[in-house]
Amino acid sequence: MKCFVGLDISSTKLEVCIMTNDIEMKVLFSATFGNDIIGASEIKEQVLRFNDIYHFERIVIGMEVTSLYSFHPAMFFYEDSELKQLRVEVMIEQPAKIKKYREAFEENKNDTLDAFYIADYFRIERFTKSYLKEEKYNALQHLTRTRLQLIEQLVRTKQHFIENIYYKCNTLSIELKNHQLSTNIWSATIMTLMVEDYTLDELASLPLEKFVELIQKLGRGKFKAPDKLAKVIQAAITGSYRLSHVQQDSVNTVLSLLAREIRSLEKMIKEIDREIEDMVEVLPEYQCLTSVPGIGKVFAAGIIAEIGQIDRFKDHPQVAKYAGLNWKENQSGNTSSQNTSLVKRGNRYLRYYLVEAADSVRRHNVEYAEFYKKKDEVPKHKHKRAVVLTARKLVRLVDVLLRNHQPYTPPRRFMEDN
């Protein structure tokens, strides 16, 4: 006899249903506990008690993956020494799959029914084994996911900053770009000029030598052609519209706040980069992935954190599916559509790191550059389609390197070409 424990988890509650797989599909226990160590311990005791009575040949504790809320219960049952002695399997499943299973039988929805159908879903044993990640990978994941969230926040803040710069000096970005200067809108000097208490008229009326002196002071003497930069900035100021005094004050206030936020975010990203580097350098997988030209420490850390131990996956198609890098099949009779869409149901963080890494690898690696170019020959969404297909190819390489604990070696024909 086998035992299947279904957990429906919320921020405060653990709904549990314990059932067997015998002909009668007997529900042994159903109750509600707090989502804390006391509630989890009570569920564990119930599992141990029923095992003493029935001597189960297999025990599965299954739950939906709800990230934050399911993390602590999953790790509690996975790491418990008494449950490990019984070889209890702790499984997590995508909520969408369990939802479709439940809807086939029951229209009503409540937490008690959810726990029952979660247990019943695992009872039919059609699920794919989904082993939990080890603690070191979870710790790294906290850092890499937070870094990505900070990057996304920084991008949004910079976009807002650019919008307000356009209000204040609408030709500045264009002039800097047209003159192909190494300095851009994110230069600390440019940001200071636009944020500090300088009006556009004051900057425009400054003699060139005084403006050059100010730029060199703000840039700490790092500019190779400060006179050229000064002329470009003054030309942009002269050609820009002027705001009313009231609106100018509001724009200056917003720019000042956004500049502080940008500097703060950049500082936090540098700090978290140091933490990631300290943690990831001791992992053997890091050396494997960074041996691939184009995969740096950020991409390597993100991929490792999301995949965890590679043995959680049977093969590279399962890794790709976990990342959402697989395509819907569209076939009817003898006809198969070539225009299929990406599933995108998987781990968005892993998909992001794989796609970004693939875009970098194809710039450094001849094999991947050739592959990308072949997939780029379509009328629509050329780059997007090609880089996603390149990411799917990269999954195979990542899987081999991590599974065999080996560094990257380019195929012989590409070594001969070099």
Side-chain angles (χ1 to χ4, degrees):
M1 184 185 297
K2 300 175 184 179
C3 173
F4 296 89
V5 182
L7 292 178
D8 184 62
I9 301 172
S10 68
S11 60
T12 58
K13 294 190 300 182
L14 295 173
E15 290 282 348
V16 60
C17 177
I18 303 176
M19 66 171 57
T20 64
N21 72 326
D22 57 10
I23 298 175
E24 298 178 359
M25 195 185 70
K26 186 185 298 181
V27 174
L28 300 178
F29 183 78
S30 180
T32 303
F33 299 99
N35 188 356
D36 51 35
I37 196 167
I38 298 172
S41 298
E42 181 59 35
I43 293 172
K44 180 192 108 172
E45 292 303 320
Q46 292 294 335
V47 172
L48 295 176
R49 181 171 70 85
F50 285 119
N51 184 67
D52 288 339
I53 299 171
Y54 296 102
H55 305 289
F56 300 119
E57 59 185 87
R58 185 187 188 191
I59 301 175
V60 175
I61 298 178
M63 65 197 76
E64 295 176 337
V65 54
T66 57
S67 185
L68 187 62
Y69 300 149
S70 63
F71 174 79
H72 288 298
M75 295 307 295
F76 173 85
F77 295 117
Y78 177 72
E79 294 177 346
D80 185 83
S81 58
E82 291 182 274
L83 295 179
K84 278 187 176 181
Q85 289 180 359
L86 300 178
R87 297 182 179 179
V88 171
E89 301 168 63
V90 180
M91 299 292 171
I92 54 177
E93 184 59 274
Q94 294 298 322
K97 291 185 178 181
I98 295 176
K99 180 182 178 182
K100 286 184 178 181
Y101 178 79
R102 177 178 56 78
E103 287 175 347
F105 299 96
E106 179 66 55
E107 294 184 359
N108 296 325
K109 185 184 187 309
N110 58 58
D111 292 340
T112 302
L113 280 173
D114 285 346
F116 171 84
Y117 281 110
I118 290 171
D120 197 43
Y121 172 85
F122 286 96
R123 181 187 63 83
I124 63 174
E125 300 188 59
R126 293 292 301 274
F127 59 92
T128 302
K129 287 189 176 182
S130 51
Y131 299 106
L132 297 177
K133 284 188 290 189
E134 294 176 7
E135 185 179 23
K136 59 185 177 182
Y137 301 111
N138 283 318
L140 179 61
Q141 186 184 81
H142 288 311
L143 296 176
T144 55
R145 287 191 174 187
T146 299
R147 185 189 188 280
L148 180 55
Q149 290 160 4
L150 291 174
I151 291 291
E152 291 171 341
Q153 187 176 343
L154 179 61
V155 169
R156 290 192 296 269
T157 305
K158 282 188 171 183
Q159 182 59 42
H160 197 186
F161 186 86
I162 288 175
E163 291 168 2
N164 282 273
I165 281 288
Y166 188 85
Y167 280 119
K168 182 168 185 174
C169 187
N170 67 291
T171 65
L172 180 60
S173 297
I174 298 170
E175 289 290 340
L176 290 173
K177 184 177 181 180
N178 287 345
H179 287 82
Q180 298 180 338
L181 296 173
S182 58
T183 305
N184 59 32
I185 200 74
W186 306 118
S187 161
T189 298
I190 301 295
M191 289 181 68
T192 301
L193 287 173
M194 292 296 107
V195 169
E196 298 296 335
D197 294 329
Y198 303 108
T199 68
L200 294 187
D201 291 331
E202 287 173 345
L203 293 176
S205 62
L206 271 178
L208 182 61
E209 60 272 16
K210 290 288 186 182
F211 200 9
V212 170
E213 187 179 323
L214 175 60
I215 286 175
Q216 283 292 70
K217 179 182 177 182
L218 294 175
R220 299 177 182 177
K222 294 179 181 178
F223 294 108
K224 294 181 179 179
D227 53 337
K228 183 179 180 181
L229 177 60
K231 289 177 182 178
V232 170
I233 295 174
Q234 284 195 323
I237 292 172
T238 302
S240 294
Y241 295 102
R242 295 294 188 268
L243 296 173
S244 67
H245 180 71
V246 174
Q247 192 166 0
Q248 183 67 69
D249 287 345
S250 69
V251 169
N252 285 340
T253 299
V254 172
L255 285 172
S256 179
L257 291 171
L258 292 174
R260 289 208 301 269
E261 184 177 357
I262 288 169
R263 290 169 186 143
S264 176
L265 288 169
E266 289 175 340
K267 182 181 178 182
M268 286 191 285
I269 290 168
K270 287 181 181 179
E271 289 178 5
I272 207 166
D273 278 349
R274 288 194 291 269
E275 291 293 328
I276 289 172
E277 193 167 350
D278 290 343
M279 182 175 292
V280 81
E281 282 187 342
V282 300
L283 299 177
E285 297 96 328
Y286 178 72
Q287 305 302 328
C288 297
L289 293 189
T290 52
S291 67
V292 180
I295 297 184
K297 63 180 182 181
V298 172
F299 295 148
I303 292 169
I304 292 167
E306 298 303 328
I307 289 178
Q309 60 271 35
I310 192 65
D311 293 339
R312 298 196 309 142
F313 304 95
K314 182 177 67 174
D315 48 27
H316 70 82
Q318 199 173 90
V319 177
K321 188 174 182 180
Y322 177 68
L325 287 174
N326 59 314
W327 286 260
K328 296 177 182 177
E329 184 179 3
N330 188 2
Q331 186 269 337
S332 178
N334 296 323
T335 304
S336 293
S337 174
Q338 298 300 311
N339 186 17
T340 57
S341 58
L342 195 66
V343 172
K344 283 191 177 181
R345 280 187 191 158
N347 183 318
R348 80 171 183 93
Y349 294 98
L350 179 56
R351 183 167 61 252
Y352 166 83
Y353 283 116
L354 287 169
V355 170
E356 292 297 316
D359 197 26
S360 177
V361 168
R362 59 104 179 173
R363 294 189 179 98
H364 296 81
N365 187 300
V366 178
E367 177 188 1
Y368 282 80
E370 290 182 358
F371 181 87
Y372 171 88
K373 190 174 181 180
K374 289 178 182 177
K375 302 303 178 182
D376 191 31
E377 298 170 351
V378 291
K380 291 184 178 180
H381 312 298
K382 289 186 176 184
H383 170 71
K384 186 176 181 181
R385 177 181 184 274
V387 78
V388 168
L389 289 168
T390 306
R392 179 61 185 87
K393 175 179 172 65
L394 182 63
V395 170
R396 289 192 284 271
L397 176 62
V398 168
D399 183 81
V400 169
L401 298 183
L402 296 183
R403 211 173 288 279
N404 297 334
H405 308 287
Q406 68 184 58
Y408 172 72
T409 304
R412 182 172 297 177
R413 76 178 182 92
F414 295 105
M415 294 177 68
E416 291 171 354
D417 290 344
N418 294 330

